[in-house]
Amino acid sequence: MYADNLSDLIKRMEATEQTQGLSVLEHGHMVHESYLQLVDELDQGVGPSVLQNLWESLRERLVALKDIEEYQVYHDCGKPVCAADGHFPGHAEHSANQWAKLFGRGTVSELMRLDMKFHLMNAEEAAAFWSHPLAPTLYVTAWAEIRANAGMFGGEDSTSFKIKKKKLERAGRALKSLVLEEIHNGRKER
């Protein structure tokens, strides 16, 4: 079922198409490159406005870059196991289990398990999820993913991309509200 070593896993990921002409592994590399570009933009003071407004508080809560790279490149490593007619049911859980089989349970496998959170949650669920220590890494990665995948959605002007972007903006506004509330409550206590 799952690969027994990294070499076999890489071969399986290269042989599984994310979309026509793009392997699951190539997609993972695209997400990581998109992430590095996004972080560079945010450090320069540009990038999606809701993300830019949160960048200082998010940046200090990101996991180690080595873990981020492994997570992003291999985040869909479970897709070869569950591929079915261009769909990947349960792929996040399969990815977490595949990674754990090779490297044990830890930060990277947990990031993989939670990978779809910000893509699927409503604003209320996102507000509750922000207390999770991996939320900042997952959130910035979700932005990197939709940017890396924009071509598959029909570009950044497509309805599909705009829907995905709006969901992430709502989650960001939920965090901003929480941060403002914490600041307000901190001032009250003084």
Side-chain angles (χ1 to χ4, degrees), residues 115-132:
D115 181 63
M116 295 299 294
K117 281 292 207 186
F118 281 108
H119 299 292
L120 301 174
M121 289 187 285
N122 62 36
E124 186 175 297
E125 293 166 327
F129 186 69
W130 276 113
S131 63
H132 194 290

Side-chain angles (χ1 to χ4, degrees), residues 30 146-156 161:
M30 284 176 57
I146 69 164
R147 289 171 54 142
N149 293 342
M152 288 186 273
F153 307 143
E156 291 191 15
F161 179 85

Side-chain angles (χ1 to χ4, degrees), residues 4-180:
D4 291 322
N5 57 65
L6 184 58
S7 178
D8 185 33
L9 177 61
I10 289 171
K11 288 176 188 168
R12 289 180 184 196
M13 290 177 71
E14 289 174 333
T16 304
E17 284 193 326
Q18 174 80 13
T19 189
Q20 190 172 3
L22 181 72
S23 76
V24 169
L25 185 61
E26 289 169 325
H27 163 69
H29 284 289
M30 284 176 57
V31 169
H32 185 61
E33 288 301 315
S34 177
Y35 173 83
L36 294 175
Q37 180 181 357
L38 179 59
V39 167
D40 187 50
E41 290 172 13
L42 292 167
D43 284 342
Q44 292 177 36
V46 296
S49 61
V50 68
L51 188 53
Q52 188 66 54
N53 291 335
L54 298 167
W55 182 233
E56 290 305 314
S57 61
L58 290 174
R59 178 178 29 198
E60 63 191 35
R61 295 178 51 209
L62 298 173
V63 300
L65 185 57
K66 176 190 172 293
D67 290 339
I68 291 172
E69 182 175 9
E70 285 182 349
Y71 154 54
Q72 292 169 346
V73 170
Y74 296 102
H75 74 278
D76 285 337
C77 66
K79 284 187 173 179
V81 174
C82 62
D85 297 324
H87 298 280
F88 307 96
H91 77 274
E93 194 67 37
H94 283 293
S95 296
N97 292 338
Q98 170 63 78
W99 196 258
K101 178 178 179 164
L102 297 181
F103 303 103
R105 296 240 176 250
T107 300
V108 175
S109 66
E110 186 64 4
L111 285 164
M112 289 175 178
R113 188 178 70 77
L114 299 171
D115 181 63
M116 295 299 294
K117 281 292 207 186
F118 281 108
H119 299 292
L120 301 174
M121 289 187 285
N122 62 36
E124 186 175 297
E125 293 166 327
F129 186 69
W130 276 113
S131 63
H132 194 290
L134 298 178
T137 301
L138 292 162
Y139 184 65
V140 178
T141 298
W143 276 97
E145 285 180 308
I146 69 164
R147 289 171 54 142
N149 293 342
M152 288 186 273
F153 307 143
E156 291 191 15
D157 289 328
S158 71
T159 301
S160 180
F161 179 85
K162 288 177 182 176
I163 290 168
K164 293 170 186 346
K165 180 181 172 186
K166 186 171 285 228
K167 188 173 275 273
L168 293 180
E169 287 173 338
R170 282 190 200 119
R173 283 193 297 275
L175 174 60
K176 188 173 182 180
S177 294
L178 291 172
V179 169
L180 292 173

